Amino acid sequence: MVCDGAGSALHADEGATTIAQQTVAALGARLRDDRLGRNETDWAGILAEAVAAARASLEHLVVGRHGQLRDYACTLVGVMAAPSGGCFFHLGDGVGICEYSDGAVVLSPPENGEYANETWFITDQEWRKRLRVTPFDGGVSAIALMSDGAESFVMDKGGTDLYRPFIDPVVRYLRQVDADQGARALQATLGDARTDAITSDDKTLLIALAS
């Protein structure tokens, strides 16, 4: 899961952290339930239920501080995946993308508002209407989740595929090292001065590779 706090929100970092952690926790608990459904309608309901539980945790935090919910605004893009397939769940901007061995991709694109730099947040009252679920089949080679700041160099200009000159060398390297070493290298790449020159926005990128 990737959550990106709104730049205008006073406590966006806490909002993003809370929503990410609590959604993952709620989904983890739900996935251990033997009654879990397996069709697309079930997944949509289960995901909405988990995000709602996370939002309720955030509301509880805000009430305890006598604050305002909008001060904790963030977007979210997440994925549940298994060898048999999975789905993205997404609210606001950012990107989710999975790639098959033949190069075909399934994309969960950003959703922006009417104006430039406008998007939707989990703190919006109508967040349920904006939560999108995109299923995909099994046999995926790699999955990536990213905040909108990373889009400018991870995605191609059309926003429909990964930018190969960047992602292909990264994936080749990640397949050769362990997870910790790969994470450190990826973090260093994202923090490089050359990526800062492209955008000063949050540059979060998660990559999952099939074993």
Side-chain angles (χ1 to χ4, degrees), residues 27 30 36 39-52 127-128 131 133:
L27 279 176
R30 189 68 174 85
L36 186 63
N39 60 48
E40 183 180 338
T41 302
D42 289 331
W43 287 125
I46 289 162
L47 290 163
E49 179 184 294
V51 174
W127 69 269
R128 286 182 182 270
L131 184 65
V133 175

Side-chain angles (χ1 to χ4, degrees), residues 82-187:
S84 59
C87 55
F88 294 107
F89 54 104
H90 199 163
L91 190 155
D93 56 23
V95 173
I97 186 168
C98 68
E99 180 185 32
Y100 295 91
S101 57
D102 63 359
V105 299
V106 174
L107 181 71
S108 183
E111 183 182 33
N112 299 100
E114 182 179 354
Y115 303 102
N117 298 320
E118 180 186 49
T119 190
W120 313 105
F121 301 108
I122 187 61
T123 49
D124 296 341
Q125 286 194 352
E126 295 190 342
W127 69 269
R128 286 182 182 270
K129 293 182 179 179
R130 298 294 178 182
L131 184 65
R132 295 167 284 136
V133 175
T134 303
F136 53 85
D137 296 327
V140 172
S141 174
I143 293 174
L145 304 176
M146 68 199 78
S147 62
D148 63 324
E151 287 179 51
S152 51
F153 54 90
V154 181
M155 301 296 293
D156 65 11
K157 288 186 178 180
T160 59
D161 198 356
L162 295 161
Y163 181 55
R164 299 299 166 179
F166 173 82
I167 200 67
D168 287 349
V170 169
V171 170
R172 281 197 299 269
Y173 176 79
L174 293 178
R175 290 194 184 280
Q176 297 171 4
V177 299
D178 62 34
D180 289 339
Q181 185 176 348
R184 289 193 298 270
L186 185 57
Q187 188 171 16

